[in-house]
Amino acid sequence: MAIETEIKLSLSAHTASQLGSHALLAGVPSQRQLLINTYYDTPDNRLRGERLVVRYRQKGGEWLLGVKTAVQLSGGLAERKEWERSGRPGDFDFAHVDQSAVRDFLEPLRDQLQPAFVTHFQRRSWLLEPRDGVRIELALDRGTIEAGGRRQPICEVELELVSGAVGDLFDLALALQATLPLHPEARSKSDRAYRLLADLPMIAAKALPVPVDAGMSSVSAFRRIALSCVSQLQSNEKGILTTDAPEFVHQARVAIRRLRSAMRVWQRHLPVPFMERFDPLWQELAKRLGDARNWDVFLADTAPLLSEAFADRAEIGLLLRYARRRSTSNRKAARAVLKSAAYSRLLLDFSAALQALPEGKVRLLGDSVPAWLDKCARRVNQRAAEAQGGSDEARHRLRLAFKQLRYALEFLSPILSGPVLENYHQSLTALQEQLGRQNDLAVALQLTTEALPGRKAEVVQDWLAAQSDALLPELEALLEDFRRQDAPWSVPLP
């Protein structure tokens, strides 16, 4: 068994044509190969369900049977187990797979395996030695994925670690990115092929559970959680770039909020320069996406209520036309941000910094949980007191505190369990949703002021303020219910 560690970067056809003349490749001989990969699965795609890949690769007259454990890319980085041996298509002998769980799963399925899709590409590769002891294969792949009678182009760079450390891979990726527009790839070739095979519509990617346990080091747990947030963000990129569906922007912002919440929960275990460098960058990206999200919410949720309440007022027509223009312009701005070199650089820089985080004095995750969550809860209680009878801004700060506590509970849920956690989380979610409705009304007030300057906005603003005030009794009741909840981390951790 080998561990395959690589970074995948997408690039345009124009950039691909420039790669061979890059200064880092000067004087390095290259090889060219035509690679035809046939991927296999059962009729009900059981391998995909187990995140396993079985393929035959044709390289000239040679055939190689490969088995890989599939992983979700994050910041372009993929690390997975790989087994490979010579063979012939149709011969599925998995004796070379030395991980019994994988072999025992595959062996009974040998007679059910059938071709699922094919990747067909020309590979040009260079073997680089940036320094003593480090060898990295740089491969440029250009070709197609063919699945279910449909085709999709392949144009990507793979940097595979032959010897050295993961940091060496990122150093090379960042050096290439400094002069070429390269973007960390969000999906493997097989992931893209399965979607093409099923002809699935794009669906906004929500946060997935992250496997952490009490015996992990705190820094290792943070790294895993942060990479999952980056993965969620990247999984929504294409939807933002190619559709007008608001949910892609929403889930991308959720990914950034979760990431920034994790950075705050783990802040004591993170180097100060790490926080000072990256938190402002993620905050700025969230703001740029937030401008688009605010108008999406206004048009979807608030505008219909205003149209019904003020059906015969000319101001509403002006407001809606302005809102649509701003929604369109902010969506274009969000797309420009995701296409920018700065965003691509942030993904690589942050992923590299995550891999380089020092463990320091190793502290187990389970030992840190109660103190962290106590701190989050104290912040919630403090801001709840400030928000009682307070301003929209005070309620907004309370909403942010609740989000941080909620996300922290979700991150740490694998080491917390039982009905106490479920009840606490339900109460927390109800409060966050209520505060979210009030925040939407507060933002709508700001947007209305922008769209209808002067006295034209007064009647709409008064109506929005009244709607917000009407929600206050329910907010007070939810806060009281939350205060009665037992903290789920006060019970012994398993």
Side-chain angles (χ1 to χ4, degrees):
M1 177 188 70
I3 302 295
E4 181 185 64
T5 304
E6 62 186 12
I7 291 176
K8 293 179 179 287
L9 304 162
S10 59
L11 67 169
S12 67
H14 175 68
T15 303
S17 66
Q18 299 176 314
L19 181 64
S21 58
H22 195 280
L24 290 174
L25 305 182
V28 181
S30 65
Q31 294 185 340
R32 296 179 185 268
Q33 289 181 314
L34 175 64
L35 301 179
I36 303 173
N37 301 292
T38 303
Y39 291 76
Y40 293 81
D41 207 335
T42 62
D44 56 355
N45 289 338
R46 291 185 62 188
L47 268 64
R48 186 188 189 193
E50 293 295 319
R51 300 194 60 77
L52 289 173
V53 168
V54 171
R55 77 175 185 204
Y56 258 103
R57 165 170 286 180
Q58 182 181 2
K59 294 198 303 184
E62 183 182 16
W63 293 87
L64 294 172
L65 171 63
V67 176
K68 295 186 179 186
T69 56
V71 294
Q72 195 165 26
L73 290 166
S74 183
L77 179 67
E79 292 184 280
R80 56 188 174 185
K81 298 170 184 176
E82 179 183 35
W83 299 266
E84 201 167 55
R85 71 167 183 83
S86 297
R88 298 293 297 179
D91 171 21
F92 296 111
D93 181 359
F94 299 115
H96 65 301
V97 178
D98 59 4
Q99 186 169 323
S100 59
V102 175
R103 186 179 62 252
D104 292 346
F105 175 79
L106 291 174
E107 287 287 359
L109 302 179
R110 290 169 57 178
D111 294 337
Q112 300 178 48
L113 295 177
Q114 61 187 31
F117 48 83
V118 175
T119 61
H120 186 286
F121 54 90
Q122 185 79 32
R123 169 167 286 181
R124 186 181 180 190
S125 60
W126 297 260
L127 186 61
L128 305 180
E129 299 185 39
R131 58 183 178 84
D132 289 345
V134 177
R135 300 170 72 224
I136 297 170
E137 183 187 64
L138 187 158
L140 171 63
D141 295 343
R142 302 184 68 177
T144 57
I145 297 169
E146 301 168 9
R150 289 173 287 275
R151 295 162 66 94
Q152 188 178 96
I154 295 170
C155 190
E156 65 183 32
V157 165
E158 290 185 359
L159 305 177
E160 184 172 350
L161 188 65
V162 179
S163 61
V166 173
D168 297 312
L169 271 185
F170 278 105
D171 288 344
L172 177 58
L174 289 165
L176 290 168
Q177 196 187 54
T179 54
L180 293 174
L182 302 172
H183 186 71
E185 179 55 65
R187 295 185 183 276
S188 68
K189 294 183 183 74
S190 60
D191 286 337
R192 284 174 275 162
Y194 273 117
R195 294 192 65 83
L196 189 63
L197 180 67
D199 195 22
L200 294 173
M202 282 191 295
I203 299 174
K206 296 185 177 183
L208 297 173
V210 183
V212 297
D213 62 71
M216 294 179 68
S217 76
S218 294
V219 169
S220 295
F222 170 75
R223 183 183 294 115
R224 186 172 292 183
I225 288 166
L227 287 172
S228 76
C229 295
V230 174
S231 179
Q232 182 192 2
L233 169 63
Q234 286 205 263
S235 296
N236 286 290
E237 288 174 356
K238 188 174 181 182
I240 296 173
L241 293 172
T242 61
T243 79
D244 290 332
E247 187 64 12
F248 292 103
V249 175
H250 174 51
Q251 291 301 327
R253 290 190 71 230
V254 168
I256 299 171
R257 284 202 305 264
R258 287 170 61 85
L259 175 56
R260 295 188 68 219
S261 292
M263 290 171 70
R264 277 163 172 70
V265 170
W266 268 266
Q267 187 166 358
R268 287 188 177 182
H269 298 268
L270 302 176
V272 172
F274 178 90
M275 291 293 296
E276 290 179 342
R277 179 183 180 191
F278 290 110
D279 188 55
L281 295 174
W282 289 120
Q283 184 180 30
E284 177 61 21
L285 178 59
K287 181 182 181 303
R288 301 291 292 274
L289 294 179
D291 293 338
R293 176 63 181 164
N294 286 341
W295 287 106
D296 283 343
V297 172
F298 182 86
L299 285 169
D301 297 340
T302 309
L305 300 176
L306 292 173
S307 297
E308 183 179 348
F310 303 100
D312 26 342
R313 293 195 68 105
E315 294 95 327
I316 300 304
L318 292 173
L319 177 58
L320 294 184
R321 285 192 291 275
Y322 183 88
R324 293 186 189 103
R325 290 196 302 272
R326 292 288 280 124
S327 177
T328 299
S329 63
N330 280 314
R331 188 169 296 280
K332 289 180 179 178
R335 288 171 179 156
V337 168
L338 295 191
K339 290 179 180 178
S340 69
Y343 173 63
S344 298
R345 184 80 178 189
L346 172 59
L347 292 173
L348 265 187
D349 270 341
F350 184 72
S351 298
L354 283 175
Q355 297 299 326
L357 282 175
E359 290 285 346
K361 183 179 179 181
V362 176
R363 185 179 178 90
L364 298 184
L365 181 62
D367 295 337
S368 305
V369 169
W372 288 349
L373 296 179
D374 277 339
K375 181 180 178 181
C376 291
R378 284 195 300 271
R379 183 182 294 113
V380 164
N381 291 331
Q382 176 187 344
R383 293 188 180 179
E386 295 169 355
Q388 284 186 310
S391 63
D392 288 333
E393 179 60 30
R395 287 192 287 271
H396 177 61
R397 289 195 298 269
L398 174 60
R399 175 170 165 261
L400 295 181
F402 271 120
K403 280 186 177 181
Q404 183 172 320
L405 177 55
R406 178 186 171 188
Y407 291 148
L409 284 172
E410 290 176 0
F411 297 146
L412 301 169
S413 60
I415 59 176
L416 301 168
S417 60
V420 175
L421 174 63
E422 184 177 345
N423 294 337
Y424 192 87
H425 193 270
Q426 286 177 353
S427 179
L428 194 59
T429 301
L431 257 170
Q432 186 179 326
E433 290 174 351
Q434 180 74 0
L435 287 164
R437 287 193 289 272
Q438 290 193 293
N439 184 68
D440 291 344
L441 290 167
V443 171
L445 272 167
Q446 297 170 9
L447 301 184
T448 301
T449 302
E450 175 187 329
L452 299 173
R455 298 182 64 86
K456 289 181 180 179
E458 285 183 357
V459 65
V460 177
Q461 291 172 331
D462 290 344
W463 185 88
L464 290 169
Q467 299 301 306
S468 181
D469 289 343
L471 295 175
L472 290 177
E474 185 177 352
L475 174 61
E476 292 297 331
L478 288 170
L479 279 170
E480 185 59 33
D481 177 67
F482 178 75
R483 293 188 187 97
R484 291 195 297 266
Q485 299 290 329
D486 293 324
W489 59 92
S490 63
V491 298
L493 295 173

